[in-house]
Amino acid sequence: MTIAVRSLPVPAASTRTGSSLHTREKNSSAKTDSLHKMDITEVPVSQDNKGKKKKNKKPKNKSVSPEGDGVETKEEVKMEKSEAAAAGAAAFPPTFSVSEIKNKQRRHSMFMKFKQEKRKVKVQLKKKKKKEREALGDKAPPKEVPKTIENQRVYDETTVDPEDEEIAFDEGTDEFSAYFNGLTNPKVLITTSDRPRGRTVRFCEQLATVVPNAHVYYRRGLALKRVIPQCVARNFTYLMVINEDRKMPNGLVLCHLPDGPTAHFKISSVRLRKEMKRRGKDPTEHTPEVILNNFTTRLGHSIGRMFAALFPQDPQFVGRQVATFHNQRDFVFFRFHRYIFKNEKRVGIQELGPRFTLKLRSLQKGTFDSKYGEYEWVLKRHEMDACRRKFQL
């Protein structure tokens, strides 16, 4: 046991004389008496640690497990961390967004990983459902129909019922009834806007090979009001005008003669025969078959009959050629194919071209008249295209 002695500080003696010296002597005498009274405290000192404190060092390669059963090595801790990092890379936290990553390359790589994991889960779920259906056999539940814009379409009051007597009466008395009854054969005049470019001219020439009894004439700067009487005098039943913008076909005016109606379409996605891959040989002069798909409303029914009246109603099946007008979401896709029967169940088709897409802009009563014409229907984009599930054709 050692004893630590703590002494109080003693001030230095002053050299001043007089009264100040007398007070100093009193203070010094009082402080010398207190020197005899010392504060004594006991401090324990061990033999191992003699007044020196050693730092607590952490174990390097050992860590206590949370259960407290044993000791884990450093390698095991590293393996656990790597497994946790791999799990974190595969599954993102619920509040994580890839768009929050600022680095473009890192963001792209993380997005591709996320997409790949999502695809794997989807494939596994699909395989699981397939195995369940095979195990159940005939007792398997029916397949779920996927939701699309087409089958979620808003009901239209003008939807045509083929068995309706009113529809049958209208078909027998409209402008196109003579074609379907075999009383009139179509004769089409195809022309262009003023000073057409090469692509528009080639497009008109290829249309003439698709539509039977079609003739291509240059416009020569004549107004359509002067062209229409000449067409009627030469027994043409249709006038087809191809407009262009920036050397590309962008519009189609289809006028039924002599009393109308007149339809104005926007043309897009025009592909000529040379621009198509794996196309067949040029079409023959045989009359093709005509397929009309999804023209369900009264307006769509009129447009479909207008397209059908371009072709004779007695197709020549020897040529094995088909012209298709497919309506989907108010876009009319035109395709021209040749088919061949490989066996009783398989059929091969070969596209001949050209191909294009039409979008109806307006339907006018009578022949073309841009100033005083009466319109049956006009496209109003902000009103009619507000709902994606509502269609006009």
Side-chain angles (χ1 to χ4, degrees):
M1 182 74 67
T2 60
I3 298 174
V5 179
R6 186 176 62 182
S7 60
L8 297 175
V10 180
S14 177
T15 57
R16 294 182 182 181
T17 58
S19 62
S20 61
L21 181 59
H22 180 70
T23 55
R24 291 288 184 182
E25 288 177 355
K26 287 184 179 180
N27 294 336
S28 61
S29 62
K31 289 179 180 179
T32 51
D33 295 338
S34 63
L35 287 175
H36 300 285
K37 301 176 182 179
M38 297 181 179
D39 295 335
I40 300 172
T41 56
E42 295 181 359
V43 178
V45 178
S46 62
Q47 294 179 358
D48 299 336
N49 186 12
K50 296 183 179 180
K52 296 181 181 179
K53 295 182 180 180
K54 293 184 180 180
K55 296 181 179 179
N56 295 328
K57 296 184 179 179
K58 295 181 181 179
K60 293 183 179 179
N61 296 334
K62 295 182 180 180
S63 61
V64 182
S65 62
E67 293 84 0
D69 299 335
V71 178
E72 294 182 357
T73 61
K74 189 176 181 180
E75 287 76 10
E76 293 178 355
V77 175
K78 284 185 178 180
M79 290 178 63
E80 290 180 359
K81 288 182 179 180
S82 62
E83 290 176 359
F92 297 109
T95 57
F96 178 78
S97 178
V98 181
S99 60
E100 296 176 1
I101 301 175
K102 302 301 181 182
N103 189 290
K104 184 178 180 181
Q105 295 178 352
R106 181 65 176 169
R107 181 171 65 247
H108 178 70
S109 63
M110 294 293 285
F111 176 74
M112 296 306 295
K113 284 182 182 179
F114 175 73
K115 202 171 182 180
Q116 189 176 6
E117 291 295 330
K118 195 174 180 181
R119 193 182 298 113
K120 285 182 181 179
V121 173
K122 188 176 181 180
V123 171
Q124 291 176 0
L125 186 62
K126 193 174 182 180
K127 288 181 179 179
K128 184 180 178 181
K129 287 185 177 180
K130 187 177 180 181
K131 288 181 181 179
E132 291 177 355
R133 292 184 64 84
E134 290 176 355
L136 293 174
D138 297 336
K139 297 181 180 180
K143 291 185 177 180
E144 297 179 358
V145 179
K147 291 184 178 180
T148 61
I149 295 180
E150 284 79 13
N151 58 26
Q152 299 295 318
R153 175 178 180 174
V154 177
Y155 177 74
D156 195 339
E157 298 178 353
T158 62
T159 302
V160 173
D161 185 6
E163 299 179 357
D164 191 356
E165 296 180 357
E166 183 180 355
I167 300 299
F169 177 77
D170 291 343
E171 290 180 355
T173 57
D174 64 358
E175 302 90 345
F176 312 107
S177 59
Y179 301 97
F180 296 97
N181 296 331
L183 302 177
T184 305
N185 288 324
K187 185 179 180 182
V188 184
L189 186 144
I190 301 176
T191 185
T192 62
S193 57
D194 294 335
R195 292 174 291 181
R197 299 293 180 173
R199 183 178 176 82
T200 306
V201 173
R202 289 193 298 271
F203 179 59
C204 294
E205 292 174 353
Q206 293 183 13
L207 277 180
T209 61
V210 172
V211 181
N213 200 13
H215 306 271
V216 180
Y217 287 91
Y218 289 105
R219 180 76 169 269
R220 295 181 181 177
L222 295 175
L224 288 182
K225 287 186 177 181
R226 294 183 59 186
V227 174
I228 290 173
Q230 296 181 18
C231 294
V232 174
R234 299 182 184 183
N235 297 324
F236 281 101
T237 59
Y238 270 99
L239 172 63
M240 187 183 299
V241 183
I242 307 296
N243 297 321
E244 71 172 4
D245 181 36
R246 297 179 183 178
K247 304 180 183 180
M248 295 286 291
N250 73 328
L252 169 65
V253 177
L254 188 61
C255 180
H256 178 255
L257 302 175
D259 300 323
T262 302
H264 178 216
F265 299 91
K266 174 189 174 183
I267 297 183
S268 60
S269 304
V270 177
R271 297 284 295 276
L272 302 179
R273 291 194 180 113
K274 287 188 177 181
E275 300 169 357
M276 299 172 60
K277 296 180 180 179
R278 296 183 294 276
R279 70 180 186 280
K281 295 182 180 179
D282 292 343
T284 59
E285 295 181 356
H286 296 89
T287 303
E289 306 168 49
V290 182
I291 298 177
L292 303 173
N293 287 336
N294 299 336
F295 293 94
T296 56
T297 62
R298 292 295 295 265
L299 176 64
H301 197 64
S302 301
I303 297 299
R305 287 175 64 84
M306 196 172 187
F307 286 139
L310 286 169
F311 300 86
Q313 301 305 309
D314 52 346
Q316 297 174 349
F317 298 100
V318 180
R320 297 179 283 108
Q321 297 178 157
V322 182
T324 305
F325 294 90
H326 176 73
N327 174 40
Q328 185 172 354
R329 304 182 188 181
D330 288 345
F331 288 91
V332 181
F333 300 91
F334 176 80
R335 299 292 184 269
F336 193 57
H337 291 91
R338 180 185 289 123
Y339 63 89
I340 184 172
F341 294 101
K342 296 183 177 181
N343 51 41
E344 295 180 356
K345 296 183 178 180
R346 295 184 59 190
V347 179
I349 61 174
Q350 191 177 39
E351 189 172 358
L352 305 179
R355 66 164 67 170
F356 53 90
T357 305
L358 299 175
K359 174 76 171 176
L360 181 65
R361 290 298 179 86
S362 64
L363 182 64
Q364 183 182 358
K365 290 183 179 180
T367 58
F368 179 80
D369 190 352
S370 58
K371 287 186 177 181
Y372 307 106
E374 182 182 355
Y375 288 89
E376 294 184 17
W377 183 87
V378 178
L379 175 63
K380 298 177 182 178
R381 292 179 55 194
H382 298 288
E383 296 180 10
M384 299 179 179
D385 294 346
C387 180
R388 295 182 61 194
R389 296 184 294 110
K390 188 174 183 179
F391 308 118
Q392 309 300 323
L393 300 181

